[in-house]
Amino acid sequence: MPGPVLPYGRQTIEDDDIAAVVEALRADFLTTGPTVAAFEAAFAETVGARHAVACANGTAALHLAMLALDVQPGEAVIVPSITFLATANCARYVGAEVVFADVDPHSGLMTPETLAEALARVGGRKLRAVLPVHLRGDTVNLPELAALAGGAGAVLVEDAPHALGSTMSFGNVAERAGDARHSAMATFSFHPVKTIATGEGGMVTTNDAGLAERLRTVRSHGMTRPADADPWVYEMAEPGFNYRLPDILCALGLSQLKKLPRFAARRRALAAAYETALAPLAPIVRIAARPAWSDPVLHLMCVLIDFQAAGVSRRSVVDALRERGVGTQVHYIPVHTQPYYRERYGALDLPGANAWYDRCLSLPLYPGMADEDVGRVAAALRAVLGR
Ligand SMILES: *Cc1c(COP(=O)(O)O)cnc(C)c1O
């Protein structure tokens, strides 16, 4: 009899999270209230950035970042092909053209080599931004990518929804994902599968006060209040959006953020258990390669499976795992192969992205998993692969 299926990821909502939302519902402001600023301040402190600007979701965070940089139609933005659609789409929202970078086939990450190769394909366009993605929680080589982007007249915008809590060290300097030390901005999402959840929700972090101010203005219709004007006066220099995150959801975010150390420790423990449990399945199954500087809080448990050597299709593995109560997901279909982008830019040859896609599978990973669940997943995978 099939039992419940472990999803590849899910939120952890506890009684005090619910109480925090109820309290926000009884307060004076449901949307732009004091909890927005409190959540932003706590988030900035958590990741070590000077400013944090809350917004409607991770896609809005990316769009706001493009607007804050004033990226213009026809300018270029470099995006890795292995990411969620939104990383590329945000460039199109402002009329910019996407140049897809390849990724390392073992880590799925944009590297200095794949960025250099993409830079060579920008052509005559003005390059404004490079958007590396900290896939599954392992971080990219930020100092080297920033140097390459800077040399081409562009800045980094980190798409960091997978990396909340991740740390890295370049040289002897310990850094937190989202501290925006090497980038203009970093973006986050609080979608239920991400490390903390608000339902829908997002955040942009930056150390640049000017960018933070622009993000806040564009987040709310492009409205500003001149300092010495009458109390009812607002001005709009350019149309913005309604990308605000309501007080109710900021209350949930603030409550969830307090649990980040516990959630992170649990994710680290589960990832370590997976390493041990999956080791006997090498070389058919390998955990995605970890860069030397990376000390991740994994958002996704990405493994690479040599389906060809195992003599099975991914579809049959996915189906058989599901029958054994193990949900999986694929992160991601290379964005450059989506019909819209293929139509716009033609067929691109990005062998690293294709090789990653051919083998990747994300196994269940979330704080609410039981210790035994890791063994259950590994045993199911072993059985399904006939090992
Ligand atoms: C989740 C995610 C997004 C989009 O976030 P939403 O809150 O769902 O809009 C963008 N990029 C990456 C890498 C993501 O994982």
Side-chain angles (χ1 to χ4, degrees), residues 57-59 62 83-84 86-87 133 159 161-162 189 191 194 201 332:
N57 53 62
T59 305
L62 288 161
T83 184
F84 183 58
T87 322
V133 175
D159 192 15
H162 298 186
S189 160
H191 180 278
K194 307 292 161 78
Y332 291 96

Side-chain angles (χ1 to χ4, degrees), residues 72 93 180 191 206:
Q72 292 296 309
Y93 296 162
H191 180 278
T206 181

Side-chain angles (χ1 to χ4, degrees), residues 3-324:
V5 175
L6 297 171
Y8 79 89
R10 69 158 289 155
Q11 71 278 14
T12 301
I13 300 291
E14 297 164 324
D15 286 347
D16 55 343
D17 296 310
I18 294 165
V21 172
V22 170
E23 194 184 331
L25 281 168
R26 295 191 201 283
D28 291 337
F29 303 95
L30 295 184
T31 184
T32 308
T35 318
V36 180
F39 182 37
E40 290 177 339
F43 195 90
E45 163 105 40
T46 298
V47 302
R50 216 162 285 157
H51 310 277
V53 178
C55 59
N57 53 62
T59 305
L62 288 161
H63 189 190
L64 285 172
M66 294 297 99
L67 293 163
L69 290 174
D70 201 22
V71 176
Q72 292 296 309
E75 294 182 335
V77 171
I78 294 180
V79 174
S81 182
I82 296 297
T83 184
F84 183 58
L85 302 170
T87 322
N89 291 350
C90 72
R92 295 298 304 136
Y93 296 162
V94 296
E97 300 298 339
V98 181
V99 177
F100 286 105
D102 204 2
V103 299
D104 175 85
H106 309 292
S107 70
L109 299 172
M110 181 192 279
T111 65
E113 293 72 30
T114 65
L115 175 55
E117 189 277 328
L119 285 169
R121 283 187 279 114
V122 169
R125 297 188 189 279
K126 183 174 165 60
L127 179 71
R128 293 298 309 283
V130 175
L131 274 63
V133 175
H134 302 305
L135 190 69
R136 82 194 152 266
D138 275 316
T139 47
V140 298
N141 188 338
L142 285 168
E144 287 194 27
L145 296 186
L148 280 167
V155 293
L156 295 188
V157 174
E158 300 166 65
D159 192 15
H162 298 186
L164 182 56
S166 288
T167 60
M168 56 201 126
S169 64
F170 300 102
N172 285 325
V173 187
E175 306 181 18
R176 282 170 272 175
D179 70 6
R181 191 184 296 228
H182 306 278
S183 63
M185 287 167 275
T187 64
F188 290 87
S189 160
F190 312 124
H191 180 278
V193 297
K194 307 292 161 78
T195 306
I196 66 168
T198 63
E200 299 286 353
M203 192 75 80
V204 186
T205 60
T206 181
N207 296 310
D208 182 319
L211 284 175
E213 195 184 320
R214 269 190 65 76
L215 289 165
R216 290 182 200 287
T217 303
V218 181
R219 169 179 68 176
S220 194
H221 307 286
M223 286 162 62
T224 55
R225 294 185 192 282
D228 47 1
D230 292 320
W232 63 87
V233 169
Y234 49 82
E235 282 180 352
M236 187 193 81
E238 57 185 326
F241 294 81
N242 180 349
Y243 276 167
R244 296 184 302 256
L245 188 64
D247 224 53
I248 304 166
L249 296 186
C250 288
L252 179 54
L254 199 52
S255 177
Q256 288 265 294
L257 193 60
K258 289 185 189 133
K259 304 171 182 199
L260 180 60
R262 171 158 57 93
F263 289 174
R266 185 73 190 137
R267 284 180 179 275
R268 286 182 193 275
L270 290 165
Y274 264 120
E275 259 177 58
T276 308
L278 295 177
L281 290 176
I284 297 288
V285 179
R286 286 184 191 283
I287 292 172
R290 167 136 322 137
W293 56 81
S294 179
D295 183 17
V297 169
L298 288 183
H299 155 58
L300 299 170
M301 191 65 223
C302 291
V303 297
L304 295 171
I305 302 178
D306 190 339
F307 294 102
Q308 215 167 352
V312 288
S313 71
R314 176 160 51 195
R315 179 59 196 266
S316 65
V317 170
V318 166
D319 289 348
L321 284 174
R322 175 157 286 276
E323 272 167 36
R324 287 163 198 265

